[in-house]
Amino acid sequence: MQKFHLAQVNISKLLEPIDSPLLADFVAQLGEINALAEQSKGFVWRLKGENESATALRVFDDEMIIINMSVWESIEDLKEFAFKTAHASVMRGRNKWFAKPTEAMLALWWIPENYTPTPQDAKERLESINKNGATPFSFTFKDVFLPNV
């Protein structure tokens, strides 16, 4: 029987460039939060660019959009990290750094255990949620679908 992992992407539109004073507090916390993710139960992989972060990667046409992608063994493991660790307290400050979303900023989807998702996969999943809402192809924490086994 094939085993699946949970891939996730979240994007944010910066209010100012990543090296601006406004973003300094956010940037200062990235290393700690990324390390916390990597040490968390169920963590498998995360997208990295320069400085072990994905903030320098430009996947979208808008240069102000940053991307975060990771893979987890289960949705429960991701929820634990996202909502019950220091990550949650950092994200409570997101309105200081990021524009209010006008489209989906999070997508979750199941991948085969040994697959590494690409930024193109992430773009397709976000586009799917924006066009179709939550489906087995791409969903959110609010509307979870189980993997097709």
Side-chain angles (χ1 to χ4, degrees):
M1 185 160 111
Q2 186 172 27
K3 186 173 178 188
F4 291 88
H5 283 160
L6 183 75
Q8 74 82 30
V9 61
N10 63 79
I11 60 171
S12 296
K13 184 170 182 172
L14 301 172
L15 290 173
E16 293 185 6
I18 194 78
D19 58 353
S20 72
L22 178 71
L23 275 288
D25 186 40
F26 169 72
V27 172
Q29 298 176 75
L30 282 174
E32 177 185 336
I33 297 301
N34 287 335
L36 176 62
E38 290 180 352
Q39 297 164 10
S40 293
K41 178 182 180 293
F43 173 85
V44 176
W45 170 89
R46 71 178 176 87
L47 182 65
K48 295 180 186 181
E50 294 177 21
N51 301 322
E52 294 294 302
S53 170
T55 57
L57 301 175
R58 292 296 171 259
V59 174
F60 297 87
D61 293 337
D62 187 336
E63 290 288 313
M64 297 297 278
I65 294 178
I66 59 173
I67 186 171
N68 174 285
M69 287 179 62
S70 57
V71 174
W72 297 79
E73 290 181 0
S74 72
I75 197 161
E76 293 78 17
D77 292 334
L78 175 57
K79 280 183 177 180
E80 181 73 23
F81 167 73
F83 302 120
K84 296 182 180 176
T85 69
H87 175 269
S89 61
V90 171
M91 287 301 92
R92 281 193 282 278
R94 67 183 169 265
N95 293 337
K96 296 184 288 190
W97 311 307
F98 308 130
K100 185 175 180 171
T102 57
E103 293 186 306
M105 58 180 263
L106 169 76
L108 307 172
W109 69 100
W110 297 105
I111 59 173
E113 181 177 22
N114 294 313
Y115 180 77
T116 301
T118 67
Q120 184 60 38
D121 292 335
K123 288 174 78 171
E124 291 171 3
R125 304 303 168 139
L126 286 166
E127 288 170 3
S128 178
I129 285 185
N130 286 319
K131 184 178 178 184
N132 306 311
T135 67
F137 181 75
S138 184
F139 53 93
T140 65
F141 286 117
K142 183 179 175 188
D143 296 300
V144 175
F145 289 82
L146 297 178
N148 291 329
V149 290

